[in-house]
Amino acid sequence: MEEGYANLPTSHLLGSVPAVTQDDRKPAAPDAQDVGATSRLQEFPPALGGNGGGYRPPGAPADGDVENQANWKGYFNVASYAPYFNVDTDVVVDRLISSVYPMDGFYRKIDANPDMYGPLWITTTLIFMLAALGNFATYLMQKKRHLDIWNFDVGYFNWAASVMYGYAIIVPAIFFFLFQYFGSRPSLVRFWCMWGYSLFVFIPASVLLLIPVEFLRWVIIALAGGASSWFIALNLKECTEGADLMVLIASAAVLQFALALFIKVFFFA
């Protein structure tokens, strides 16, 4: 009798769990759309539609063709830019360290997932620090000369915002089109990412420029400008894929050093 109860089928009973077969234990293959979502971050704006985030016109299928869903409205949609800000703090810190140490292969780190979070906050922080510390440095220099005519110059903030935001946006775009014209295949968003992180070295340099000794100030800005220029040159050389574009690379490095001189002359004169 007991053997009869033991042999009854239980798959139809409420709450029963079917046995796991050998085929069910095999992991599912990764979706092709998930694999390509990261690589599409190199486009601008990234992944228009599909699973990669980005803009999708109303009524478009969730799994539709990315090319068919591309629309000019994506450039004005916040969702198109969200993937560039989906980055961990550890990743940003690692890229900040790599920007100070140019030999660490920065361009390879941002190859698959360039971000705009770091460049945005680096540029914004640098603007406020240049405006505040530039005024404070002027105060220290005038106090050293026993002058009591110092006033806070609000114009420092306007100049810092105009120059830094303009430099971080326009200069990478110009070199992007120049590299394309001469046969290279760069990525605009990677250029923006790289140039944004190249400004990080000027943040600690602006603090050191408070030292009221003119000779040390020139040494500090020369070291910061040289490190930032070297960072730009190394990463541009890595992205040229063997093409002979040394003139453009040298021009970018010189322009980066010229920015350092502008910071010294205008904000810490």
Side-chain angles (χ1 to χ4, degrees), residues 38-47 80-81 83-85 95 106-107 110-117 119 168-169 172-173 176 185-197:
T38 304
S39 61
R40 289 197 297 269
L41 288 177
Q42 300 177 13
E43 304 171 2
F44 183 78
S80 297
Y81 306 95
Y84 293 130
F85 295 87
R95 293 177 177 182
F106 177 85
Y107 203 79
I110 67 170
D111 187 19
N113 56 338
D115 72 283
M116 291 289 102
Y117 180 87
I169 296 174
F176 167 75
R185 299 180 60 186
S187 169
L188 177 58
V189 68
R190 279 190 285 181
F191 271 25
W192 275 333
C193 181
M194 180 183 65
W195 252 278
Y197 278 99

Coordinates of all heavy atoms in Angstrom, one line a residue, residues 38-47 80-81 83-85 95 106-107 110-117 119 168-169 172-173 176 185-197:
T38 N 26.9 48.7 -25.1 CA 28.0 49.5 -24.6 C 28.8 50.1 -25.8 O 29.2 51.3 -25.7 CB 28.9 48.6 -23.8 OG1 28.2 48.0 -22.7 CG2 30.1 49.4 -23.2
S39 N 29.0 49.3 -26.8 CA 29.7 49.8 -28.0 C 29.0 51.0 -28.6 O 29.7 51.8 -29.2 CB 30.0 48.7 -29.0 OG 28.8 48.2 -29.5
R40 N 27.7 51.0 -28.6 CA 27.0 52.1 -29.2 C 27.1 53.4 -28.5 O 26.7 54.5 -29.0 CB 25.5 51.8 -29.3 CG 25.2 50.7 -30.3 CD 23.7 50.7 -30.7 NE 22.9 50.4 -29.6 CZ 22.5 49.2 -29.2 NH1 22.9 48.1 -29.9 NH2 21.7 49.0 -28.2
L41 N 27.8 53.4 -27.3 CA 28.0 54.7 -26.6 C 29.0 55.5 -27.3 O 29.2 56.7 -27.1 CB 28.6 54.4 -25.2 CG 27.6 53.9 -24.2 CD1 28.2 53.6 -22.9 CD2 26.4 54.9 -24.0
Q42 N 29.8 54.9 -28.3 CA 30.7 55.7 -29.1 C 30.0 56.6 -30.1 O 30.6 57.5 -30.6 CB 31.7 54.8 -29.8 CG 32.5 53.9 -28.9 CD 33.3 52.9 -29.7 OE1 33.5 53.1 -30.8 NE2 33.9 52.0 -29.0
E43 N 28.7 56.4 -30.4 CA 27.9 57.2 -31.3 C 27.4 58.4 -30.5 O 27.3 58.4 -29.3 CB 26.8 56.4 -31.9 CG 27.2 55.1 -32.6 CD 26.1 54.2 -33.0 OE1 24.9 54.7 -32.7 OE2 26.3 53.2 -33.5
F44 N 27.0 59.4 -31.3 CA 26.4 60.6 -30.6 C 25.2 61.1 -31.4 O 25.3 61.4 -32.6 CB 27.4 61.7 -30.5 CG 26.9 62.9 -29.8 CD1 26.8 62.9 -28.4 CD2 26.4 64.0 -30.5 CE1 26.3 64.0 -27.7 CE2 25.9 65.1 -29.8 CZ 25.9 65.1 -28.5
P45 N 24.0 61.1 -30.8 CA 23.7 60.6 -29.4 C 23.7 59.1 -29.4 O 23.5 58.5 -30.5 CB 22.3 61.1 -29.1 CG 21.7 61.3 -30.5 CD 22.8 61.7 -31.4
P46 N 23.9 58.4 -28.3 CA 24.1 57.0 -28.3 C 22.8 56.2 -28.4 O 21.7 56.6 -27.9 CB 24.7 56.7 -26.9 CG 24.0 57.8 -26.0 CD 23.9 59.0 -27.0
A47 N 22.8 55.1 -29.1 CA 21.7 54.1 -29.1 C 20.4 54.7 -29.2 O 19.6 54.6 -28.3 CB 21.8 53.2 -27.8
S80 N 18.5 60.4 -24.4 CA 19.6 60.1 -25.4 C 21.0 60.3 -24.7 O 21.9 59.7 -25.1 CB 19.5 61.0 -26.6 OG 18.3 60.8 -27.3
Y81 N 21.1 61.1 -23.7 CA 22.3 61.4 -23.1 C 22.5 60.7 -21.7 O 23.6 60.8 -21.2 CB 22.5 62.9 -22.9 CG 22.3 63.7 -24.2 CD1 21.1 64.2 -24.5 CD2 23.3 63.9 -25.1 CE1 20.9 64.9 -25.7 CE2 23.2 64.6 -26.3 CZ 21.9 65.1 -26.6 OH 21.7 65.8 -27.7
P83 N 22.9 57.5 -21.0 CA 23.9 56.5 -20.9 C 25.3 57.0 -20.6 O 26.1 56.3 -20.0 CB 23.9 55.8 -22.3 CG 22.5 56.0 -22.8 CD 22.1 57.4 -22.3
Y84 N 25.6 58.3 -21.0 CA 26.9 58.9 -20.8 C 27.1 59.2 -19.3 O 28.2 59.4 -18.9 CB 27.1 60.1 -21.6 CG 27.1 59.9 -23.1 CD1 26.3 60.6 -24.0 CD2 27.9 58.9 -23.7 CE1 26.3 60.3 -25.4 CE2 28.0 58.6 -25.0 CZ 27.2 59.4 -25.9 OH 27.2 59.1 -27.2
F85 N 26.0 59.3 -18.6 CA 26.2 59.6 -17.1 C 25.9 58.4 -16.2 O 25.9 58.5 -15.0 CB 25.2 60.7 -16.8 CG 25.4 62.0 -17.5 CD1 25.0 62.3 -18.7 CD2 26.2 63.0 -16.9 CE1 25.2 63.5 -19.4 CE2 26.5 64.2 -17.5 CZ 26.0 64.4 -18.8
R95 N 39.7 56.9 -13.9 CA 40.0 57.8 -15.0 C 40.7 59.1 -14.6 O 41.5 59.6 -15.4 CB 38.7 58.0 -15.8 CG 38.2 56.8 -16.5 CD 36.9 57.0 -17.2 NE 36.4 55.8 -17.9 CZ 35.4 55.6 -18.6 NH1 34.6 56.7 -18.8 NH2 35.0 54.5 -19.1
F106 N 44.8 55.7 -21.0 CA 43.5 56.2 -20.8 C 42.5 56.0 -21.9 O 41.3 55.7 -21.7 CB 43.6 57.8 -20.5 CG 42.3 58.5 -20.3 CD1 41.7 58.5 -19.1 CD2 41.6 59.1 -21.4 CE1 40.5 59.2 -18.9 CE2 40.4 59.7 -21.2 CZ 39.9 59.8 -19.9
Y107 N 43.0 56.1 -23.2 CA 42.1 56.0 -24.3 C 41.5 54.6 -24.4 O 40.4 54.4 -24.9 CB 42.9 56.4 -25.6 CG 42.0 56.8 -26.7 CD1 41.4 58.1 -26.7 CD2 41.6 55.9 -27.7 CE1 40.6 58.5 -27.8 CE2 40.8 56.3 -28.8 CZ 40.3 57.6 -28.8 OH 39.4 58.0 -29.8
I110 N 38.4 54.2 -22.1 CA 37.2 54.9 -22.5 C 36.7 54.4 -23.8 O 35.7 54.9 -24.4 CB 37.3 56.4 -22.5 CG1 38.2 56.8 -23.6 CG2 37.7 56.9 -21.1 CD1 38.2 58.3 -23.8
D111 N 37.4 53.4 -24.4 CA 37.1 52.9 -25.7 C 35.6 52.4 -25.8 O 34.9 52.8 -26.8 CB 38.0 51.8 -26.1 CG 37.9 51.4 -27.6 OD1 37.3 52.2 -28.3 OD2 38.3 50.3 -28.0
A112 N 35.2 51.6 -24.9 CA 33.8 51.0 -25.0 C 32.8 51.8 -24.3 O 31.6 51.8 -24.7 CB 33.8 49.6 -24.4
N113 N 33.1 52.6 -23.3 CA 32.1 53.3 -22.5 C 32.6 54.7 -22.1 O 32.9 54.9 -20.9 CB 31.7 52.5 -21.2 CG 32.9 52.2 -20.4 OD1 34.1 52.1 -20.8 ND2 32.7 51.9 -19.1
P114 N 32.7 55.6 -23.0 CA 33.1 57.0 -22.6 C 32.0 57.6 -21.8 O 30.8 57.3 -22.1 CB 33.3 57.7 -24.0 CG 32.5 56.9 -24.9 CD 32.5 55.5 -24.5
D115 N 32.3 58.5 -20.9 CA 31.3 59.1 -20.1 C 31.4 60.6 -20.2 O 32.5 61.2 -20.5 CB 31.5 58.7 -18.6 CG 32.7 59.3 -17.9 OD1 33.8 58.8 -18.2 OD2 32.5 60.3 -17.2
M116 N 30.3 61.3 -19.9 CA 30.3 62.8 -19.8 C 30.2 63.3 -18.4 O 30.3 64.5 -18.2 CB 29.1 63.3 -20.6 CG 29.3 63.1 -22.1 SD 30.5 64.2 -22.9 CE 31.9 63.0 -23.1
Y117 N 30.0 62.4 -17.5 CA 29.8 62.8 -16.0 C 31.1 63.4 -15.5 O 31.1 64.5 -14.9 CB 29.4 61.5 -15.2 CG 29.2 61.8 -13.7 CD1 28.0 62.2 -13.3 CD2 30.3 61.7 -12.8 CE1 27.8 62.5 -11.9 CE2 30.1 61.9 -11.5 CZ 28.9 62.3 -11.0 OH 28.7 62.6 -9.7
P119 N 33.9 64.7 -17.2 CA 34.2 65.9 -17.9 C 33.3 67.1 -17.5 O 33.8 68.2 -17.3 CB 34.0 65.6 -19.4 CG 34.3 64.2 -19.5 CD 33.8 63.6 -18.2
A168 N 36.2 73.1 -23.8 CA 35.9 71.7 -23.6 C 34.9 71.2 -24.6 O 34.9 70.0 -24.9 CB 35.3 71.4 -22.2
I169 N 34.1 72.1 -25.3 CA 33.1 71.6 -26.2 C 33.6 71.8 -27.7 O 33.6 70.9 -28.5 CB 31.8 72.4 -26.0 CG1 31.2 72.0 -24.7 CG2 30.8 72.0 -27.2 CD1 30.0 72.8 -24.3
P172 N 37.5 70.0 -28.9 CA 37.4 68.6 -29.4 C 36.6 68.4 -30.6 O 37.0 67.5 -31.5 CB 36.8 67.9 -28.2 CG 37.0 68.8 -27.0 CD 37.0 70.1 -27.6
A173 N 35.6 69.2 -30.8 CA 34.8 69.0 -32.0 C 35.6 69.4 -33.3 O 35.5 68.8 -34.3 CB 33.5 69.9 -31.9
F176 N 38.0 66.7 -34.0 CA 37.2 65.6 -34.6 C 37.0 65.7 -36.1 O 37.3 64.7 -36.8 CB 35.9 65.5 -33.8 CG 34.9 64.5 -34.5 CD1 35.1 63.2 -34.4 CD2 33.9 65.0 -35.2 CE1 34.2 62.3 -35.0 CE2 33.0 64.2 -35.8 CZ 33.1 62.8 -35.7
R185 N 39.4 57.9 -38.2 CA 38.0 57.6 -37.8 C 37.9 57.7 -36.3 O 37.7 56.8 -35.6 CB 37.6 56.2 -38.3 CG 37.7 56.0 -39.8 CD 37.3 54.5 -40.1 NE 35.9 54.3 -39.7 CZ 35.4 53.1 -39.8 NH1 36.1 52.0 -40.3 NH2 34.1 52.9 -39.4
P186 N 37.9 59.0 -35.8 CA 37.8 59.2 -34.4 C 36.3 59.1 -33.9 O 35.4 59.0 -34.7 CB 38.4 60.6 -34.2 CG 38.0 61.3 -35.5 CD 38.0 60.2 -36.6
S187 N 36.1 59.2 -32.6 CA 34.8 59.3 -32.0 C 34.6 60.6 -31.3 O 35.5 61.0 -30.5 CB 34.6 58.1 -31.0 OG 33.4 58.3 -30.3
L188 N 33.6 61.4 -31.7 CA 33.4 62.7 -31.1 C 33.2 62.6 -29.6 O 33.8 63.4 -28.8 CB 32.2 63.4 -31.7 CG 31.8 64.8 -31.2 CD1 33.0 65.7 -31.3 CD2 30.6 65.3 -31.9
V189 N 32.4 61.7 -29.1 CA 32.2 61.6 -27.7 C 33.4 61.2 -26.9 O 33.6 61.6 -25.8 CB 31.0 60.6 -27.4 CG1 31.4 59.2 -27.7 CG2 30.5 60.7 -26.0
R190 N 34.3 60.4 -27.5 CA 35.5 60.0 -26.8 C 36.5 61.2 -26.8 O 37.2 61.4 -25.8 CB 36.2 58.8 -27.6 CG 35.6 57.5 -27.2 CD 36.4 56.3 -27.7 NE 36.2 56.1 -29.1 CZ 36.7 55.1 -29.8 NH1 37.6 54.3 -29.2 NH2 36.5 55.0 -31.1
F191 N 36.4 62.0 -27.8 CA 37.2 63.3 -27.8 C 36.8 64.2 -26.7 O 37.6 64.8 -26.0 CB 37.2 63.9 -29.2 CG 38.2 63.5 -30.1 CD1 38.8 62.3 -30.0 CD2 38.7 64.3 -31.1 CE1 39.8 61.8 -30.9 CE2 39.6 63.9 -32.0 CZ 40.2 62.7 -31.9
W192 N 35.4 64.3 -26.6 CA 34.9 65.2 -25.5 C 35.3 64.6 -24.1 O 35.6 65.4 -23.2 CB 33.4 65.3 -25.6 CG 32.9 66.3 -26.5 CD1 33.6 67.5 -26.8 CD2 31.7 66.4 -27.3 NE1 32.8 68.2 -27.7 CE2 31.7 67.6 -28.0 CE3 30.6 65.5 -27.4 CZ2 30.6 67.9 -28.8 CZ3 29.6 65.8 -28.2 CH2 29.6 67.0 -28.9
C193 N 35.2 63.3 -24.0 CA 35.6 62.7 -22.7 C 37.1 62.9 -22.4 O 37.4 63.2 -21.3 CB 35.3 61.2 -22.8 SG 35.6 60.2 -21.3
M194 N 37.9 62.7 -23.4 CA 39.4 62.8 -23.2 C 39.8 64.2 -22.9 O 40.5 64.5 -21.9 CB 40.1 62.3 -24.5 CG 41.6 62.4 -24.4 SD 42.4 61.9 -25.9 CE 41.8 63.2 -27.0
W195 N 39.2 65.2 -23.6 CA 39.6 66.6 -23.3 C 39.0 67.1 -22.0 O 39.6 67.9 -21.3 CB 39.0 67.5 -24.5 CG 40.1 68.0 -25.4 CD1 40.9 69.1 -25.1 CD2 40.6 67.5 -26.6 NE1 41.8 69.3 -26.2 CE2 41.6 68.3 -27.1 CE3 40.2 66.4 -27.4 CZ2 42.2 68.1 -28.3 CZ3 40.8 66.2 -28.6 CH2 41.8 67.0 -29.1
G196 N 37.9 66.5 -21.6 CA 37.3 66.9 -20.3 C 38.2 66.4 -19.2 O 38.5 67.2 -18.2
Y197 N 38.7 65.2 -19.2 CA 39.5 64.7 -18.2 C 40.9 65.3 -18.2 O 41.6 65.3 -17.2 CB 39.7 63.1 -18.3 CG 38.5 62.4 -17.7 CD1 37.5 61.9 -18.5 CD2 38.5 62.2 -16.3 CE1 36.4 61.2 -17.9 CE2 37.4 61.5 -15.7 CZ 36.4 61.0 -16.5 OH 35.4 60.3 -16.0

